[in-house]
Amino acid sequence: MPKITGSQFMSETFKGYGVTHLFVMPYVLNSVLRDCERIGISRIMCHSEKGAAYMADAYARISRRPSICMSQSVGAANLAAGLQDAYLACSPVVSLTGRHMQKKQDRNAYQEINHQGLFSSVTKYDGLVTSVEELPIFLRQAFREATSGTPGPTHLDIYEIDGSFVADNKADLEIVVEEPFTRLPPFRPEPEISLILEALKILDEAKRPIIVAGGGVMLSGAEKELKELAEKLSIPVATALNAKNSIPWDHPLTVGVPGSYSRSCANKAVCDADLVFFIGSHTGGQVTHDWRIPQMGTPVIQLDINPSELGRSYPIKLGMQGDVKVTLKKMIDNAEQIKPRKEWIEHIKILVQEWRQDMVPFVNSEKLPMRPERLCKELTDSLPSDAVLVSDTGHAGVWTGSMIDFKNPRQSYIRCAGSLGWSIPAAIGAKCAVPERPVISFTGDGGVYYHLTELDTALRFGINTVTVVNNNNSLNQEQRGVEKTYGGRESGTDQLWMLSEIDFNKVAESMGCFGIKVNKPSEFQGALEQALSCGKPAIVDVKTDIEGIAPLAWLPKEKK
């Protein structure tokens, strides 16, 4: 076997695992970037390490394959900060950083700090590669860990500040690609039949059961099975943000997104249920509105590929460990078609109709500046049939989660799991994963400021993403809290939530991108069409009402 460099080994391994793009903040592993280019893997040089991590996160989520982001030693802290979102979103990102060799540790080496603490809280696996001979061991393990069980980011620290000690040396290295770990999920375990039958029995006996579908449904590709089981057992479905389009928007069993970024009808439906079936859900604070939706004491069944999630937040009547797709298929095969729960389904239908009726004055409002609810209606109506919508957090997450309907099964939705400003670089990563599909980022002016510079990254590499800006010159989600603290809108309080008035379409144009302003609802569709067809990164700057603040999530009245 001829000796090869660590760089050759890494680039060929990346290709074998289906990686098409590397997201990198230089100066790191330059020989790897060179060798990757030679075999057709694109290198996307970003403006920040966080931007690189966000791009890799969205790339992995849309492609359902592992992705790669990299930085040199001094950028490791920034890269780790960016991995927080990938960790919270269960995204299989493999991150690589340079590290000063051991002889330079604990001696105040230039720009060096201990990386272990940085990555331990935002990765599933954190390894150290000190020689080229160690690469096969740890690189393959990074891919295994990233994709197996509950997916998540992994990290390898590679000797020398730019990783060159490992990348540029040679050894007898065999390139082995472990095919299951090139995709999500690598394996599909299923519960024993006794648990399947017991779950069906409990569901059958319930009068008002509801399913809460989490991101595990999407990671497993189980949308078809979710819909089929819900129909066969006559059970309404609430969807977490990460599973928002896992069931058709207009299906009679669909109730919407529950929790904090929610529709009131979904929260009411979950609270009215006498049994909740969590499927592929972490049962975390957002989907349950800090564990109040459903209320404690409600009987719960839970299905998750990770057994440590079973009963983590709610005591369970029954827990099943298994992949969502094969488990739901097994439930479908063993379930008998039940008579529709007419009274319960009618109650759900009324809740949804009441919520939609309450929204009519807002989604049809002609008020100027535009209401954000009206913007969401225009975006829903204008989304291409195969679009990917990439949502920021905060109000952007509330508006897209509660107000956007996905009317075509080919449309996709991913959202920020934590950090404001994620959506612009994330849209770039998503577009790299599916270059043939239109990719649209939705954010506010507050979110744009974080990573506006990555529009230049998209421009340099010919990546035509479109950013729709809900521009109200403020962080108005913070207004309630600020004014509550100060006892009203006193002098100076606006400094804590209001922003400068900026035309981001002009900023985009000054960078060589495409920019267009929207003042009226009637202008939006044409503006979006121009942005999608311009062939460059684009901003659609929509002027909206500063008083357009999302309503607080519905909660049941506290028992006295």
Side-chain angles (χ1 to χ4, degrees):
M1 183 190 306
K3 291 186 175 182
I4 61 173
T5 64
S7 172
Q8 290 173 293
F9 177 83
M10 293 172 75
S11 57
E12 292 290 348
T13 298
F14 293 163
K15 188 174 182 67
Y17 278 85
V19 174
T20 61
H21 292 73
L22 306 179
F23 303 100
V24 56
M25 184 65 185
Y27 177 89
V28 63
L29 294 171
N30 270 3
S31 57
V32 175
L33 301 181
R34 177 201 63 207
D35 290 345
C36 281
E37 181 185 14
R38 289 174 177 172
I39 60 175
I41 298 176
S42 299
R43 308 96 60 249
I44 306 296
M45 189 190 82
C46 309
H47 278 284
S48 71
E49 293 84 1
K50 287 183 75 175
Y54 295 164
M55 291 179 201
D57 175 16
Y59 174 101
R61 286 204 245 171
I62 288 296
S63 67
R64 289 176 52 204
R65 299 194 306 269
S67 63
I68 305 288
C69 60
M70 310 190 304
S71 78
Q72 66 163 293
S73 179
V74 67
N78 294 330
L79 195 71
L83 288 177
Q84 172 180 284
D85 273 82
Y87 184 77
L88 294 172
C90 306
S91 185
V93 176
V94 176
S95 61
L96 310 174
T97 56
R99 179 186 187 270
H100 275 302
M101 299 169 70
Q102 190 59 34
K103 65 183 179 182
K104 295 183 179 181
Q105 297 296 318
D106 302 317
R107 298 174 65 189
N108 300 313
Y110 179 53
Q111 297 181 328
E112 180 75 2
I113 59 175
N114 186 335
H115 295 174
Q116 187 174 8
L118 298 173
F119 288 90
S120 62
S121 62
V122 294
T123 60
K124 289 179 63 182
Y125 171 76
D126 184 17
L128 174 64
V129 183
T130 67
S131 68
V132 65
E133 290 82 4
E134 294 172 355
L135 260 179
I137 300 169
F138 297 109
L139 187 57
R140 287 200 292 269
Q141 187 64 23
F143 280 102
R144 289 187 203 108
E145 295 272 3
T147 55
S148 59
T150 301
T154 60
H155 170 244
L156 293 180
D157 236 355
I158 303 176
Y159 257 14
E160 202 43 86
I161 191 171
D162 60 352
S164 57
F165 179 77
V166 172
D168 296 344
N169 279 307
K170 291 185 175 182
D172 293 323
L173 305 175
E174 181 183 4
I175 297 167
V176 176
V177 174
E178 298 170 327
E179 194 274 336
F181 304 106
T182 64
R183 62 176 187 270
L184 295 180
F187 304 106
R188 294 188 181 274
E190 59 185 60
E192 51 268 39
I193 188 64
S194 61
L195 291 176
I196 295 288
L197 295 177
E198 180 64 17
L200 290 171
K201 180 176 180 291
I202 295 170
L203 288 165
D204 183 58
E205 291 173 349
K207 293 182 178 179
R208 301 185 309 279
I210 195 166
I211 290 170
V212 176
V217 173
M218 306 301 290
L219 289 172
S220 181
E223 299 94 317
K224 175 178 175 291
E225 289 75 14
L226 174 68
K227 175 175 173 286
E228 188 174 346
L229 182 71
E231 290 173 343
K232 193 167 188 179
L233 300 184
S234 189
I235 302 178
V237 180
T239 57
L241 283 169
N242 286 335
K244 178 174 168 61
N245 52 348
S246 60
I247 189 166
W249 70 282
D250 57 350
H251 195 285
L253 294 175
T254 299
V255 301
V257 175
S260 305
Y261 291 4
S262 58
R263 292 178 176 179
S264 59
C265 54
N267 282 359
K268 290 175 181 178
V270 174
C271 285
D272 288 344
D274 63 359
L275 177 70
V276 178
F277 184 12
F278 285 106
I279 301 178
S281 170
H282 277 169
T283 63
Q286 187 173 66
V287 73
T288 65
H289 203 354
D290 291 334
W291 307 281
R292 294 174 288 185
I293 309 287
Q295 295 169 290
M296 284 295 173
T298 304
V300 164
I301 298 175
Q302 191 173 354
L303 164 64
D304 203 278
I305 199 168
N306 184 352
S308 66
E309 292 298 331
L310 302 177
R312 181 186 291 273
S313 294
Y314 288 89
I316 52 176
K317 193 176 184 72
L318 179 73
M320 295 183 288
Q321 180 195 2
D323 169 72
V324 172
K325 187 180 183 73
V326 297
T327 302
L328 296 188
K329 181 65 168 62
K330 200 168 184 179
M331 293 181 73
I332 293 164
D333 291 344
N334 285 276
E336 294 183 4
Q337 184 82 41
I338 73 165
K339 294 181 180 179
R341 294 177 167 92
K342 291 185 179 180
E343 186 176 338
W344 176 227
I345 302 305
E346 183 61 26
H347 175 66
I348 293 297
K349 181 180 178 181
I350 290 171
L351 290 178
V352 173
Q353 287 177 339
E354 288 177 344
W355 176 80
R356 288 198 178 277
Q357 191 60 37
D358 289 343
M359 293 299 107
V360 166
F362 301 104
V363 298
N364 293 331
S365 173
E366 295 291 339
K367 181 180 179 182
L368 297 179
M370 201 187 312
R371 288 287 307 187
E373 297 93 339
R374 180 63 189 268
L375 168 58
C376 289
K377 177 183 183 294
E378 297 302 321
L379 181 55
T380 294
D381 293 342
S382 304
L383 272 181
S385 61
D386 60 343
V388 178
L389 183 63
V390 180
S391 172
D392 227 320
T393 190
H395 261 171
V398 178
W399 294 130
T400 58
S402 63
M403 301 304 302
I404 298 288
D405 287 320
F406 294 95
K407 298 185 177 181
N408 191 297
R410 293 184 296 154
Q411 293 171 334
S412 302
Y413 172 76
I414 57 174
R415 58 94 186 187
C416 174
S419 304
L420 187 61
W422 173 87
S423 69
I424 286 181
I428 295 170
K431 185 69 173 178
C432 289
V434 286
E436 73 286 358
R437 296 175 63 185
V439 176
I440 299 166
S441 160
F442 185 95
T443 187
D445 44 323
V448 169
Y449 283 110
Y450 279 81
H451 296 289
L452 180 64
T453 51
E454 299 299 355
L455 288 179
D456 173 68
T457 302
L459 182 68
R460 283 183 286 111
F461 290 96
I463 302 170
N464 170 214
T465 59
V466 175
T467 299
V468 174
V469 185
N470 174 30
N471 189 352
N472 52 29
N473 311 128
S474 73
L475 290 168
N476 67 346
Q477 191 175 11
E478 318 303 328
Q479 180 183 346
R480 286 192 189 101
V482 171
E483 294 184 357
K484 180 179 179 181
T485 300
Y486 279 81
R489 190 173 298 185
E490 298 179 359
S491 176
T493 59
D494 57 353
Q495 295 175 347
L496 299 178
W497 64 275
M498 291 191 68
L499 303 172
S500 301
E501 188 171 341
I502 298 292
D503 289 330
F504 288 104
N505 55 302
K506 293 181 179 179
V507 175
E509 290 173 347
S510 73
M511 297 173 69
C513 301
F514 176 83
I516 189 168
K517 184 192 290 189
V518 171
N519 290 306
K520 301 175 182 178
S522 60
E523 298 171 350
F524 181 80
Q525 183 175 0
L528 183 63
E529 289 173 353
Q530 289 183 61
L532 287 168
S533 63
C534 71
K536 298 190 290 185
I539 279 186
V540 179
D541 191 11
V542 185
K543 302 303 181 183
T544 58
D545 185 4
I546 196 170
E547 302 299 334
I549 301 174
L552 296 175
W554 180 90
L555 280 172
K557 293 181 180 179
E558 293 185 6
K559 296 179 181 179
K560 295 182 179 179

